[in-house]
Amino acid sequence: MTRTSGPAFVAAMGGLIALAAGMGIGRFVYTPILPFMEAAIGLSKAEGGLIASANFLGYLLGALAASSSLLRGGRRRWLLIALALSAATTGLMGYAATFETYLALRFAGGVASSFVLVFASALVLDRLAAFGRSGLSAIHFAGVGVGIAVSAMLTAGVAAAGLDWREQWQVAGAASLAGLALVFLLVPREAIAKATDDGVAGGLTPGLPTLIVAYGLFGFGYVITATFISTMVRGTPAIAELEAVIWLVVGLAAVPSIAFWTWVARALGNNPTFALACVVEGVGVAVAVLAPESALAVNLSAALLGGTFMGLTALGFAETRRITRGDPRRNLAFMTAAFGLGQMVGPTFGGLAYGIGDSFLVPSLVAAAALLLSALLVIRLRIVVPS
């Protein structure tokens, strides 16, 4: 082990825990808890969708706020504040009693999640690059998959203990709070600056706007299946027994995905690999609706979704950081905002388009087409880093 391996690994693990707490749990635990809320308090599908949209809106606005030059203070401080807000809004969902409160808490949680992703990634990726250990970014981004898997197991465990949806939210909030404590210990107080970092927010490199558009299309393409896959399973008697495990499959597939796509990128480059992953994810989105009664198809869909969406996130962030001269925070936030816009539009479109044939066939195939368009946009993109 080299002299820098130890501190670099610690920073990567800090990033993993930050994304697990703020994204995997804080943002995605809603998916496995939602069916319990529907059963206990009569939450309708429309109301459940609005709560999800409030979170996505918060995520979008949070990403825009993270890019603002008016935001003062160190990146580590904002990361810790965001993790605290994520833990609080998650836990407080278990005490909320009105629909309006659910909306407000999930909106605030969405703001927190985007801050966690932007600031944790800016901190950790800079630290790893300074140590010459950028390959460890796979550990950092694996945190989302770890958090999704943990959220699935926490939800199932609390339900098995005979407790209800309120305790599920409370336990999830406590788990996020524990993550905050670990991040405080592991994430360095200051990122080591790059040699080219002059402290100025990085500008828009020619070609980056195309990458940002492709990233937004990816956000739209993944989120319809990510939002409705449990609904698809529940509404199909032949595979209804898979509902309890389908989200766990997504999380487990996400954990090694970043390492795999990073390995592919070493041979092909970031942008060609991004395009390939979009095609693979498009297949995953389509297969669940083309063979809706097949257990193999829905498991394959979940595995391909989990096995690509964080890999695509990592590839997009890695390419943005590579081509940005100066502090990458603003450009990372632009990418996050495009993603947030895409995923905010996706569920609304999916719900409305469901009326065409009373199935998710049309919205899912449109989502798959968006992923293919994203691939086409970046496949020939060659961005030269300014000197």
Side-chain angles (χ1 to χ4, degrees):
M1 180 179 291
T2 64
R3 184 175 60 85
T4 58
S5 295
F9 179 77
V10 169
M13 286 301 299
L16 180 150
I17 295 169
L19 295 190
M23 295 283 293
I25 297 176
R27 181 161 167 235
F28 287 116
V29 75
Y30 178 68
T31 298
I33 294 179
L34 178 58
F36 294 93
M37 294 179 69
E38 291 174 337
I41 61 177
L43 201 67
S44 71
K45 295 292 190 295
E47 290 170 332
L50 284 173
I51 294 170
S53 294
N55 185 257
F56 296 149
L57 176 61
Y59 187 87
L60 170 61
L61 297 180
L64 294 174
S67 71
S68 173
S69 60
L70 299 177
L71 200 65
R72 302 298 182 186
R75 293 180 287 185
R76 183 176 184 271
R77 185 182 74 172
W78 281 110
L79 170 60
L80 295 176
I81 290 172
L83 284 168
L85 179 62
S86 179
T89 55
T90 299
L92 287 173
M93 280 290 290
Y95 298 94
T98 66
F99 180 69
E100 292 75 16
T101 308
Y102 302 148
L103 291 176
L105 287 173
R106 293 309 290 161
F107 173 84
V111 173
S113 344
S114 63
F115 267 51
V116 169
L117 180 59
V118 170
F119 286 104
S121 297
L123 267 170
V124 173
L125 296 183
D126 269 4
R127 187 75 169 187
L128 297 181
F131 280 129
R133 303 285 294 174
S134 293
L136 292 178
S137 61
I139 295 175
H140 165 66
F141 286 110
V144 178
V146 170
I148 288 174
V150 168
S151 72
M153 291 186 289
L154 283 177
T155 303
V158 172
L163 302 175
D164 67 8
W165 65 273
R166 294 188 179 278
E167 282 81 11
Q168 288 173 331
W169 280 112
Q170 292 160 14
V171 169
S176 294
L177 192 61
L180 166 61
L182 291 173
V183 171
F184 181 84
L185 295 173
L186 296 176
V187 173
R189 292 190 175 276
E190 295 181 8
I192 300 175
K194 295 180 292 180
T196 59
D197 192 346
D198 54 11
V200 178
L204 282 177
T205 303
L208 182 59
T210 300
L211 186 61
I212 290 172
V213 171
Y215 205 65
L217 288 169
F218 150 54
F220 172 84
Y222 104 93
V223 78
I224 293 176
T225 303
T227 301
F228 294 113
I229 190 168
S230 294
T231 302
M232 295 177 193
V233 172
R234 177 182 290 191
T236 308
I239 56 172
E241 71 276 4
L242 294 177
E243 182 186 350
V245 300
I246 203 66
W247 197 238
L248 180 61
V249 172
V250 173
L252 292 177
V255 174
S257 66
I258 299 91
F260 171 76
W261 290 112
T262 300
W263 173 74
V264 175
R266 292 193 190 104
L268 302 182
N270 287 336
N271 288 337
T273 304
F274 186 96
L276 176 60
C278 279
V279 172
V280 172
E281 185 167 286
V283 171
V285 166
V287 71
V289 293
L290 293 176
E293 296 189 352
S294 168
L296 176 61
V298 75
N299 275 293
L300 179 62
S301 177
L304 293 181
L305 176 69
T308 51
F309 87 96
M310 276 314 300
L312 283 162
T313 301
L315 291 167
F317 268 43
E319 182 66 5
T320 301
R321 189 193 174 282
R322 184 188 72 82
I323 65 179
T324 300
R325 183 180 183 274
D327 187 348
R329 187 186 77 190
R330 185 173 67 176
N331 288 344
L332 291 176
F334 287 156
M335 293 283 283
T336 304
F339 179 83
L341 180 61
Q343 72 171 4
M344 198 174 85
V345 172
T348 301
F349 169 77
L352 292 174
Y354 177 83
I356 304 174
D358 289 330
S359 81
F360 287 103
L361 177 65
V362 170
S364 294
L365 293 182
V366 171
L371 288 163
L372 293 180
L373 178 57
S374 179
L376 290 174
L377 285 174
V378 301
I379 188 63
R380 295 183 179 276
L381 191 60
R382 297 291 185 269
I383 304 177
V384 179
V385 182
S387 58

